[in-house]
Every structure is written in C-alpha cells, then in structure tokens.
Amino acid sequence: MSKSSWKDECGVFGIWNDPEASRLTYLGLYALQHRGQESAGIVTLEGRRETGSHTHYKGLGLVHDVFSEEVLDTLKGDVAIGHVRYSTTGSNLLTNAQPLTARLRRSQVAIAHNGNIVNAHVLREKLIQEGAIFQGTNDTEVLLHMLARRGHKKFMEALQESVELLEGAFSLVFLTHKKLIAVRDPQGFRPLVLGKRKSESGQWSTVLASETCAFDLIGAKFIREIEPGEIFWVDDEGEHSIRMNVSKKSAKCVFEHVYFSRPDSVVFGRSVYNVRKNFGRVLARESQVDADVVIPVPDSGVPAALGFSEESKIPFDMGIIRNHYVGRTFIEPKQSIRSFGVKIKLNPQSEVLRGKRVVVVDDSLVRGTTSKKIIQLIRQAGATEVHMKIAAPPTVSPCFYGVDTPKKSELIANAMTKADICEFIGANSLEYLSEKGLYESVQGSEDEFCAACFNKNYPTELYGLAKD
Amino acid sequence: MSKSSWKDECGVFGIWNDPEASRLTYLGLYALQHRGQESAGIVTLEGRRETGSHTHYKGLGLVHDVFSEEVLDTLKGDVAIGHVRYSTTGSNLLTNAQPLTARLRRSQVAIAHNGNIVNAHVLREKLIQEGAIFQGTNDTEVLLHMLARRGHKKFMEALQESVELLEGAFSLVFLTHKKLIAVRDPQGFRPLVLGKRKSESGQWSTVLASETCAFDLIGAKFIREIEPGEIFWVDDEGEHSIRMNVSKKSAKCVFEHVYFSRPDSVVFGRSVYNVRKNFGRVLARESQVDADVVIPVPDSGVPAALGFSEESKIPFDMGIIRNHYVGRTFIEPKQSIRSFGVKIKLNPQSEVLRGKRVVVVDDSLVRGTTSKKIIQLIRQAGATEVHMKIAAPPTVSPCFYGVDTPKKSELIANAMTKADICEFIGANSLEYLSEKGLYESVQGSEDEFCAACFNKNYPTELYGLAKD
Amino acid sequence: MSKSSWKDECGVFGIWNDPEASRLTYLGLYALQHRGQESAGIVTLEGRRETGSHTHYKGLGLVHDVFSEEVLDTLKGDVAIGHVRYSTTGSNLLTNAQPLTARLRRSQVAIAHNGNIVNAHVLREKLIQEGAIFQGTNDTEVLLHMLARRGHKKFMEALQESVELLEGAFSLVFLTHKKLIAVRDPQGFRPLVLGKRKSESGQWSTVLASETCAFDLIGAKFIREIEPGEIFWVDDEGEHSIRMNVSKKSAKCVFEHVYFSRPDSVVFGRSVYNVRKNFGRVLARESQVDADVVIPVPDSGVPAALGFSEESKIPFDMGIIRNHYVGRTFIEPKQSIRSFGVKIKLNPQSEVLRGKRVVVVDDSLVRGTTSKKIIQLIRQAGATEVHMKIAAPPTVSPCFYGVDTPKKSELIANAMTKADICEFIGANSLEYLSEKGLYESVQGSEDEFCAACFNKNYPTELYGLAKD
Amino acid sequence: MSKSSWKDECGVFGIWNDPEASRLTYLGLYALQHRGQESAGIVTLEGRRETGSHTHYKGLGLVHDVFSEEVLDTLKGDVAIGHVRYSTTGSNLLTNAQPLTARLRRSQVAIAHNGNIVNAHVLREKLIQEGAIFQGTNDTEVLLHMLARRGHKKFMEALQESVELLEGAFSLVFLTHKKLIAVRDPQGFRPLVLGKRKSESGQWSTVLASETCAFDLIGAKFIREIEPGEIFWVDDEGEHSIRMNVSKKSAKCVFEHVYFSRPDSVVFGRSVYNVRKNFGRVLARESQVDADVVIPVPDSGVPAALGFSEESKIPFDMGIIRNHYVGRTFIEPKQSIRSFGVKIKLNPQSEVLRGKRVVVVDDSLVRGTTSKKIIQLIRQAGATEVHMKIAAPPTVSPCFYGVDTPKKSELIANAMTKADICEFIGANSLEYLSEKGLYESVQGSEDEFCAACFNKNYPTELYGLAKD
C-alpha cells in the first residue's frame, strides 16, 4: 500500500452462547485489527435468561494493549459484542469508542457499528432540537437516541423503525439484555458474516463478524453473509430473520477487495486473495510491458504482483523488503534524509533490482507522493526502468460510507492526467486497472458494487457531505 | 520461521562526527530491531575535543517505545553508540541493558556488545575473588572490569590486552571520551560493518553497524567489514586499525544467513536475500518432488521458497497469510482451540491450497511443534499432500556464541530420525538442505563458517557451558 | 476527626473575566480540595463575545495530580468553572466527574454542583420514560436533561423553570457560551460565595466559590454570599440577580461548621475557626471536669480544644502527633497490630500524657470505633483518666443533602445510650455538646440551620431515600 | 518550618526474626517518611539458616507509592532492612536509591545508610585508581567497594576495618546472608535505636530504626540507642556488640531536635517534643515581649509556640491554618499573586489576628524569604505588631553530615545583622534562641552535640568540602 491516507474503517464481532464469550470476542477483534487501530471495546451480557446486565470495557489502542486477562475476566457472560475503530466521523476520543451503551426504557442496549450514516447530522440536529443530549461526535450515537425515543415500543419494532430511517452504510451488531442482533444496510456497503462455532465441550454458538478471518482464528464455520436489508437476531427461542421495508440499489464496497479486507477473508462471497490475484492478471493483459522482474509494494501489493507475474510470465521477486518492526510513530532526523518516510518501512534491494527493467505493482495510488519515493529508491538500487502498475482504477473521489479518505483536491488522479502523474512519480510508464477490469476481476458488475471512489457514482444522496 | 526458540541476539551501532548522532543512532537501531527486542540504549559523547562527557539512556522495550523526541534531545553530542538486546546471558533486567558505562581511572567508557564470551564466567569469578562488584549478570560487564583493572595503562593498550583474553564471539563498539572503537573477535562470529555517511551539509561521518540495512536507512555507504581480529578506531586524528595478537580459525556464523540477519543486508560479503534464494534453489535440486504449488512459511521462508520455485518450476503462491498485528503476547482462550498459537499469526488459505499437492518451505526446523501445527492447518485448508522443505540442515546442537537456543534435548533432530520427524509433523515428506548444499549456497566452506548448530564442530573450547 | 465516614462532599468554583481563568480555577480547586478528593474538572469558555466554545478536562484524583501545566494551557479563555468531587450519589467513575457538559439546542452548558437533589431519581425515571439517555449515575445529569428538554426556550427561562422543580441541596455554578451563572437552593443548604478580584494589570473579575478560603489563596475579596433561592449571573452586560418563585424554610448545614469547611473560611457569615472555638468554650461550660491537660484529636479537634482549654483553664497540649505523610491507602500487616489503623495517623505521646488526667476533644463521634482505639492508645501512653468531649451533639441520622454518611444503623448514638457508648469507647466520661449549645456557638437557631443529622428534623420530603 | 532548604536526610530500619519482616519494614519506613521522600527500598533475607539469599525492591517516591501488596509479597524472608532517602550526595537517580546490594567473595551484602561520609571522595578516587567501577554517585557505594576489597577476610573483620577508615556521619544497617548488623559512627552524629518486638504469636524479633516513632507504629519496645562507635549484630547465635578502635569527640546533631526528627520520637535519650517546648520556654525567658497572642508557623513551630505561651502567659492560638492537601508541586499563575508560594500552604486568619500584637514562633530561619512572606500575610490579616521568635540560634554554616543545606552565602544570618534581617522580613522585632539556651533546652552541652550549623565548630576534618 503506497499511501497513508485511504484508512481502514471499523470491525464488529458478536457471539451468542459460549461461556468464553469475552475471550472469543477478544480474539475475533484481534483478527479484525486491520479494520481499526484507534480503539477497541467489548460488551458482555451476563444472565440473559433473567434480567440480563451488561459489562463493558473500552480503551484507546490496539486490542492486545487494551485488554488484559484481568479485564477479560471481569467481562462475564456467554454473550458478547466487540468493536475495533478507526475514527471516521468524530475525533479520536474515548467517548467515541464503541460499543456504545445506554439504558433505555425497557432494555439496555449496546451497539457496534461499521460504516457511516450519511444523514446522521440531519437526524442529530433534529434530536438536539427535541432535547437530546449527545456525549460524543460519532454518527452511531444518533441511532441510540432514535431507539430511546421509541422506548415505549417493543425493542425490535423500535429498531426496525429506526434503522429504516438511516441512509448510508451500516453493518451493525446490537446487544440487548435478551438478544444478539445483526443489521446490514439495504445496500450492503460493508460486509457482515454469520457463522457457527462448536466449543470443545460440544456447545454450539452463533457468531457474527465483519470478515471471515475472525472465524478462522476461533475455529468457527462460515455459514452465510447477513444479507443487505436483513435484521437477524438470536435469543433463547433461537435464530430469527426479517427484512427492512426498504428497497435500494446494491452497493457493496469494491475497495474492500482492493485494500481494506484481509487477503485471507471471503468477502461478498469472493476470496479476497483470489480477487487481488485477478487484479494483477487482468492488469497484465491490459497493459503489457517488456520487463525483467515483477515486484510488489509489500505487503498489500503481493497478490496482484503474483497474478501479474503469472499472466505476463515475467518472474516475480521480492525487490523491496518491508520492515515489520515499524511502530505507529518514529522520530525523523532534523536534516532531511531522502525518501526517509518510506525507507523506514521499505528497503529496495540492489541484488534483485540492479540493471533490471522493473514492474512495480501496488494496490492503489492516492496522492502519488509515496509512489514517487518508492520509485526513487528503486532507481537508486540500480533499476534501469520502472513501470508502475496500479491494481485498481484511478481514485478520483472521496468515500462517505465509513472510510477515512483524503479530500477530493488531494487525490492526484483528480488533478493530473495519467501522463503527468507518471512524470510526477518518475516512472517510465504508469498503468491503472480499468474499471471494466475491476469488475471482471471481482466477477461482478456496476449494479452490485459501489465504486464511487473510482467513478463518482454515489449510490445515495450525500446530504451536503461532498462540499470539498 | 516455524519456531519460537532460535532467538535473535543483539545489534550494535556507532557514529562519529555528525551533529545528529543520537537521532541517527536511533534510526540505526530501528533498522537493527530484528536483532533484539528486549531493550535498547544509546550513549552519546559531547565535547570530544576537550574533556568529553557521556550521556546515556536505556530502556526495556522496542526502540520506538524506549526513545522519544525529548529523550533524544537530551542525548547531545556528535558521537554516539547504541545497542538493541535480546537477552543471551543474564535475565531481562534493565541493569543488563546496554551500552554498559563506567568511569575508569583515565577515561569514561561505554560498551555495546553482540555475541557471547564463552570464558566470561571464569574471568568473572576471578574478578569477584579480587574484590570486583558486579551489578548485572551479563558477560559484557566482565570486560568493563578488565579495563578498570588496567586503568593505569593507556586505554588502547588496556583494551587490546583485555580483548585478547576473551574467548568466543564479540563484535564490540566502544565509546570513550575521545574515541569511537570497533572490535571484532579473531574468529569473526558476528558481523560488524564500516560505512561512511555524508550529511546534507556535506560533513562526512564514520558509521559502524551490525548489518548494512542500518546504513541503507540512514543513507550511509557501506565501505567494508571490520575484519576478524581487527581493532578499529576513529578519533580527532582520523581512523586507525590494528590487529590482535591472536590467531584462530575463522568461524563466521552461518545462521546469520539462515535466519538472523535481515534479507536486505549484505553479511560476510554476501547478500542475505540471494543466499536464501540459493538455499531454495539447491534444496530444489537436492530433493525433487512432484507438486502443484510452493508456499513459504512467511515471512522468513519467502526467499527460499522463491528459489525453490524458480529451480523446480513449481508455481510459487502465498498459501499462508501472516497477521502482522500480532503483539508480543496475546490471551488464549481457556478451552483449547486447535493449533491456536500458530493460527493467531498464520492463516492458511483454502483458495490457494484446496486439492493441491503443496511444498512448504521454512528456514529451519527446531522443535517440530510449530511445523506440526502449520501442516495440520494446511491440510485443514484442503491440501492433498504436504511436502516440508527445510532450507537448512537439521539443527542438532545449541549455540554458545550469542544466540538464545533451546537445550540440546529439545532439538527434535537430535532425538528422532528424519522419518520419525516427518511422521511427527504429519508431512508426506520431509527434506533438509544438506551441509554441502549449505556451503554451496553461501559460496563458502567449513573452513570459513561456524555451523556448530548443524554439525557440532564448536570452533572454541566451551568452558563447561555444554552440560545439557 | 476521629471517623472515616462522615465524608466531605463537593466544591465548586467559577471566574469571569481573567485571562488566567483556568489557572485561577485550578488554584481555587486546590483551596477547596478538602471538599472532594475523588475527581477534579475544569471547563473554560473561549471567545465569549462571539460564539463562545467550551474546553474541558476532568480526571480522577487530587487537583495537583489531575492537572499539569500542559493541560491548563489547553484550557483557554477568560471564563471558567471547576469542581472537586467526593462521590455522593453515583459511584466513582470518570463519567460522574464534574463539571458535566452538553450541547443544547441554543447553547452549550457546563454544570458544577455541590449538594444532592433529593427528588432526582423521580425526575430521572420520568426522563428515561420520555427517551432520555443517561451516561452516568449522578443526580446532576437530571438537570442537564431538564435544560435540554427546554431547549426551545431562552436559557435563563429554562434554567429558572428547571431549578424550581428541584428539591434538596444545590449550590450550582453554570457556564454557557455567554454567561457564568450561580444558583443556590431556596433553603441554602450548602455555602456559595461571591467575590471580586483585581489582577496585576488592574482588570476586575467576578469569582464564585464554595468557601472563602479559595478567595484568600488567589487574592480575591469576599463580597457576599449568593443568597438562598438566588439566581445570579454575569455576562458582557454586567451582573444580574433574580429570585426563584419558591419559598422554603432556611436550612443551612450546621455540619459545615462542625467539620466540612476549612477552619480559615467564613461560612454563612461566620468564621468557622471561631465557631469551632465556641463549640469548645460552650462544651467546657456545659460539661466541667477536673483534669490536667486538654488535648485535641488533630487536626480537626484543635480549635474546639483551644476553646475548651481557654474556658476551663486546663492547659492545652498536643498529646497526639499526627503523621501527615499518610497516603490514601496503606498496607496492613497480616498479623494484627493493636489499634493499627489509627496509629498510622495518630501517635500519642507519653511525655505529655503519662500520669495525667486527660480531656480529649474531637469534632464529632460517628461509629465510635476510632474513638475507642484513640483512647486505648492514650491509656497505653500513661494517662490515668481519659475524658472524651465531643464538640457536637450525638449524630443520630444520615444526611441526604450531599454528604456521604453511614447508614442510620451504623451510627452508634442511634443504637446505644451515652453511658454505653462511654463504656464501649473505654472513656472515664463522655460528654457531647448540647443542641442548644450548638446553636449558641454558631450564633443561630433551629429556624436558620439544618441539623437533621443531630435531631432528625429533615427540612424536605425525602422521596423514599431514608429507607435504612 | 519556614524554609524550603534545610532538607531532611535519610531513615534506616532493620528487623530480625519475624515472618512479616517486609511488611514491618514497610511500616517502619512509613513512620520514617519525614526523613526522606525521594526513594524507598527494602531488602529481605530468605533462608538465613542455610545459604541465605536476598530479594530487593527500590523505587523513586513515597513509601506508599513505591510498595504494593504484590511487591511486599515477593520480599520473602524473616529478616529485612529498609531505607528512605533524601538525596544528600548524588543526584536523584534510582541507582543511588538504597539499600545498596552486592555479591562479595564470601557473602551477599546490603547496606542502608543515614549520614554522610566526609572522606568518601578521597576513598572513592583511590578505589577508582585501583580499578573499581562505580555505578552511582553516592558516598555509601565506597563502603561496598571497601568490603569487596576485603573479600578474602571474614566479613565482620572486613567490616570493622572498613568502617574504622570512614570519617563523618554514618548510622548504618547491613544485611548479609547470615546477619543483621548496625553500625553508628564514633561521634554519634545521627540517631540509631534498638528495640524488641513480640509478634501476636509470641515470637520476639530484634528491630533497628533511625527514630523511636517507627517502634511506636509497629508496637515494638525501645531498648536503647546503638552507641557511638558500636558495631552491633544479631545472627542465629544471638546478639553481639563490639566497639570500633577509634576515639573521637561526641557530636550528636542538635538539628535533629530543632527540626529533623518527628516530635513524637525520643532522640539521643530526650523527647523531641519536650525539647522543642523547652526551646519555646527558654526563648520566652530570653526575649520577653508585650503581645496579645502567640502563634506558631505550623506544623513544626507548634511545640515551641506552646512552650513560649506557657512561659510568657501570652495566649496560644492557631493564627495560621495549614493546608495539608498541598502536593509536592503546584502550578503557579503567570501573573504574580503576592506571597503566593507561602499562601498555598499557610493561610493566616483575620479572626485571630485582627488588631492584635502577634508573636510568631518558627523552628529556625534559613534564607528569610519565607518568613518575610508569612509576616506580610499576618499583617494583611490585621495584626498591628509582629514579633518573630526563632526557636534556634542563627544558622550560619552548612552541614556536611548528611543534610541537604543551602550554601553558606545563601544563609541570611551569615550575610546580615539581626537588625537588618528584622527589617528585611518586616518584623517589629526578631529574636533567636541563644546557643546557651539551645543547650539548656536540650539538657546537654557543646561537648556532646554538634552545632556546627550554628557555631561553625565542625567536629571533623572537612576534606575540602567547605569551599563555598
């Protein structure tokens, strides 16, 4: 990944009916860590058969820093939900960490949300006018207040009524004092999967997660996706599913396949790894080049580079070594060192690159500044030619569905022609995957996916968000 | 790397004549982090032309956790040395963190050491009998006392006398109030390289490091190795070099190429990445197999797997995805999850492995338990055959030269035949690189390298260390 | 103070129109630390003349632990309010720390509260039924929601309407984006004082505080009390004052003089130190005794003991030395040490007590267990007689007006006769101040003061709080 | 105490033969906290009857911050020594925290030291010349090396030989693997007392402490002082005592009675509280004054003020209230507040002082700046006259025997006449206790006590320390 700015979003997890609910949720979040590194939280439900009560713990930082054995031991109960967050709306404060919790008129409720509700500020303003008090700045709190305002109704009725008023992306997991609930927006922006797990003692539990890699870690079996527009829940009577009375265009996020999801997950019914190899294969067919070696920008560019090599028959090699000990921050020298910010992570190897015509494959290209530095380093290592291959179309527009993206004006593909970008980054050639190639790789179509970041076709009203 | 127990050792760094000495040392240690994650320390020398004085800072943890901007700003001066440590002798206490410092009769001195002095306990006992007081338990403190006992002599004379009495592995960097010194033991166990760096303002500095990857990060140029038996120093008069009056068999550690060093370093004059690809190529020639895909155990097995694929023409693929968000510790569920400890790091992919005859390449095999779990996971992911290829000979004996290894009795190759190991790990076949193939790959011979972990030919007396 | 259980309550502070508002609030809270040690918080208002905005910081612990220079520097603006808290209702969580803040329809608001609203749970339940979401468990949050529900009205109108619905004790300080407001309940339970301060540069500011000792520290001049039932505010137009449309019996807390307030404060128009000396003087007249020395239980018993000595002509001495290095917690030995818990704080001196008939003066007597231990220690130190004099009447009933008191059943004066208590604590005699003497000392009457803890005459309905 | 600069020194504690040795040492240090607040440490001895081994724990901060239940539980064994430190020589680094420990040729040893060895730098330089390596900068480490150099001798022989070479103040407690040892320098500068304690289970233990207040807390009985020049030890054979072969002038520190020791301790055979009252009584006789009230500077001036009041018949009152919530640091406002630094601790009361002629009694006067501020505040509170009475002679010379004092040039009595000081501090009159009155109060003579800070008669050579 050659950019610092198309950031991950959030990950959610839920489990029903396992005495180790909090530990399994911890592990589920561990596997979903790539979806959010700012905060992590778990809420458990103890005594669901009687008057259940919630215990919760949230903290800023990585899952393994936030939770200790002691903390997990206090999170009692056999039902739990969890959340990892990368701040989308709302700044990085603990008050915005999720799951959010509240005591409603008839129930306790905890919510974990992946996505972004595009009409949240409209709903929020209305609620404030009606006298609601907001603690944080994130969009999910709006839903909490909508539920509270319907506290006189049955919870599932209030829930359905509320979520039908939301616009945008929401893969939600709820915990009440009796139920574990999953809701996915009618357009299906973000993934949400359902699984089953059998414990050592033979007890079956129901599990929910943003990605299947969480199931792999805890030894759960993937059953199916939660469908767009589905409201699914499990309680002591068993599993239930209904649909929202809303019909909207399908808009699965294609960027989940491009970058967000872990390569070992199955997302929207497709292996992410395979799709990424396809990106490389199709890209090789679309933009042939005469070269000696294909190298990835590690780690995210590896599958596409392997696909490119396979299709083009140009040998694959690890021309850039990634340093995995890089922390979240590092201290720069005062005098500039050339391409320093990139070098601390990525070290090109002369042994592989010297005298070679090099194809470099990266997953996407956002601002161009990192690619420019990488290419400089590759040339310093002795490459005679550098051909940049981007395994996605040009990114031309921000995302408003739960991803932290740069402003439109900061996206290089929006400001320059391909030729100018090629010159800017210092490559001998630059080629992107076509939008057609994108759909071909993912074995889908524009009707199924949201690719607004590539084509500006936003599948919802934007409620004034797209000012920039 | 399929083992938890052939641990890295230490890394050293030094720089003379750059106003940003402490920051460059920080960066050098950052690049050497893979050589030691237990503690990090820096000592700087301010005012070398007059009565120089030392400032030092050490802490437990990773380089980027130990040092902050504020700390680096207190480390004034244009000369510095640094150290990252993985405890070899001495437990994990801050008193054992390096560089060690002391005020001697005529000079201050700071020492950073990579290696292990095999006769340290003999020298130590003698010093205690003579009234020396030891603070920590590590072998390097012995050298400090040997220098102190020779405080009436000139420092370089005392130094030469002292290091000539040491047996074993020592790549040392010293800082006095006037000099930056490098010493490499006569057998050359551990690497130590010399470089030059030109700052933005055109000032040249002399740099020392365990590996060349540290030079790459700071933009320094690799000049040459510090030779076995060499005592090199730089002071206001310039650079100097003398030789110890000791002649011993060359014994460069071949395991630096097998596992310790970073693939993007040049060690003992050879590219580590290329040597590792050679391991794979030679292994492919030595042990042919009919298979559908070659996969590495990431990340350390990648170069050898690429070499194996190149030579065998069997396609390379990333059949196992590594999770890089794994912290140093994680909390296990109370009920066992099968192969859990491995799964948290490594997730095999059905999409790549299902229905395939799989060659798995790993850098070495120590206890066998991790390999067993990996193979289980690969089979669960649908592989029909699993052929294990180890890019090194069987490890049969512990290391006493600065590496934290399991006891002899814990090394599986010491206790079982290859056939039994193959059965134990559940592979269809198991092949190691031959010792001959090892030397061929590294383009050297038994005369140049220490391969005692593979062949039990220890190049020094062991002073009773090898009891187990 | 010989008890651990009639705990302090809260302290509030406010300042309008000083560029160092946050630092002066910090100092004001420092002076009010005795009123609450669990948490501390400050909210400042920046840019009051335009659209003012709040900055706030709260933490668990003492004022000097919660705030640093860096934190105070972020609290910009020339208006501020602050709060120190000892949990009365609501457990010790940061969510209950004050000032509480919210964004209302037309204004931001921050509240700092000393007291306890006895009908809070009734109001709270109603608000939850209406869909309000509560974050913490403290009674003040109710007021925030009452204001939010009236967001369509002018703020001062909504405020007056809301506070007129509250029952119980409330000395409140509010900060909106335009005003600093003080409200004192119509019965005047808790103190709240108004002052003026002239800065070095000659600028006058308006200050509010729970006690005058806060004014002394920052060099402000005490002007007057905020009157019971008064709503006072200051904004860019100047100072304003109105009265609530509520008429209730005066009920100033006499225990502020007995124990809560600092001796150097002027509370309800009287010097606390003088009142406490009066307690001792009157007590000496009421309960004469033949003795050799009068000693206080330090520090709270000192003024009354001086008064007792003055009136009785029995010499005053420091027979018990207090250790001021005692932390909030200490580790007890496993084997019991006699009277250990008291000894860690208080050490009686043989030199003063040996062979003497001793009068011990304490401010109040709650459970009796501490007094028992103190008397044991005094006897061990050689006293021949110990006469216990309590500078207040027997405490027979809990407080519901903002003080953390033991349950009724735990109050020894409720369960035993004076003679039995005297035997229980091991004194030769035990005398309390009479209720008449209490009013005489404080120069007031039952009509002005609440002395419910001494006489069970609660000046409000209790809304089911007094179950125990 | 009206000064910030005649700082406390250190406190030591030891216990032999109680299964709760570490907890009792913790409590002993708790009681000695006033003698040192920079660091605290405990070393225990487990298994003394066989090959005993030491466990130790040290930290920066107050006793109750450094030690937790968990830490104390790791300090196993029935013998322990402990130390609280206020840095005298050596900066505030953990490496200087005590007890110091080392493994010698025949024994482990731990040392806790109160005092200062005036020839330490001479001895230290000699040891460095001989090749010794020093870790910290404090004088006690010298003794450790002296013992190590005599490692071939029997420990008690080496010890006697070593301590006989020391000059200055040393009350020492040692722990070897077999013995608990106490040593007091031949001049007896610092106190060191011996006690006995009977546990609940009837087991007797031997205890050592700097002051008797430590015995009071743990319920131990004071037996006697360790005599000047005595070497006392207890081992499995019982208690032993020998004398050093050194004869020197008695030089007990009179400042222990003036300020250092806790008032409830018995030091050098005298009650500190009584001696301080004597200071006040004698001072009243020496410097009569016509006044209305006697007030102390709390807390240290209280006993002398009581004595002054008793003798002069002028009524005693608490005219200044001390705020005990003052932390080690506080944040000052940027604009100066008059006498701010004093006001945060001490608040004079108008109610007591208005219209009065006031006698203020303080324990000593060092720089004069604090006294000046206190007198300003007393005048602001309405006093018509302020007469300053100092319960000690003028301090004219620094201490080199374990006390952190200002330089000679900073001592006001060294630079000004009494009349000038009186004018500087703004008093109507200023009187000190005479040196004769000092000895009278303490019931001793110049032959017994060191009063060098008052009379410049240093009882040892100073080895160049007194340069300032």
Side-chain angles (χ1 to χ4, degrees), chain C residues 172-219:
Chain C
L172 292 157
V173 176
F174 296 81
L175 189 62
T176 71
H177 66 295
K178 284 188 177 167
K179 294 179 174 67
L180 171 69
I181 306 162
V183 175
R184 190 165 166 216
D185 66 75
Q187 300 182 273
F189 281 97
R190 301 280 150 229
L192 188 58
V193 289
L194 176 67
K196 287 277 183 192
R197 182 177 186 274
K198 195 177 176 182
S199 72
E200 285 276 303
S201 58
Q203 185 178 358
W204 282 95
S205 56
T206 301
V207 284
L208 295 161
S210 288
E211 294 182 30
T212 58
C213 63
F215 294 167
D216 293 344
L217 179 59
I218 62 167

Side-chain angles (χ1 to χ4, degrees), chain A residues 4-24:
Chain A
S4 59
S5 47
W6 213 276
K7 296 255 184 69
D8 306 356
E9 340 124 83
C10 292
V12 300
F13 186 89
I15 185 161
W16 176 270
N17 197 39
D18 190 298
E20 293 210 66
S22 69
R23 279 168 189 252
L24 292 168

Side-chain angles (χ1 to χ4, degrees), chain A residues 28-46:
Chain A
L29 297 180
Y30 211 111
L32 298 170
Q33 185 77 79
H34 62 290
R35 295 186 77 85
Q37 296 100 47
E38 296 289 326
S39 68
I42 294 176
V43 177
T44 58
L45 168 60
E46 192 176 12

Side-chain angles (χ1 to χ4, degrees), chain A residues 215-284:
Chain A
F215 294 169
D216 293 344
L217 179 59
I218 62 167
K221 198 177 140 59
F222 167 61
I223 301 295
R224 64 172 177 89
E225 296 208 308
I226 297 296
E227 296 297 321
E230 180 176 359
I231 298 173
F232 168 93
W233 72 98
V234 52
D235 57 20
D236 283 342
E237 271 77 54
E239 298 184 353
H240 317 263
S241 174
I242 58 173
R243 292 295 166 123
M244 296 182 210
N245 295 314
V246 177
S247 169
K248 286 180 185 164
K249 181 196 171 300
S250 174
K252 297 169 188 165
C253 170
V254 79
F255 220 87
E256 291 280 352
H257 275 284
V258 170
Y259 177 68
F260 297 144
S261 294
R262 249 174 64 170
D264 48 340
S265 285
V266 174
V267 168
F268 308 141
R270 288 87 162 172
S271 151
V272 175
Y273 184 82
N274 275 359
V275 168
R276 288 183 189 167
K277 280 184 78 174
N278 287 344
F279 289 152
R281 287 183 189 112
V282 175
L283 184 57

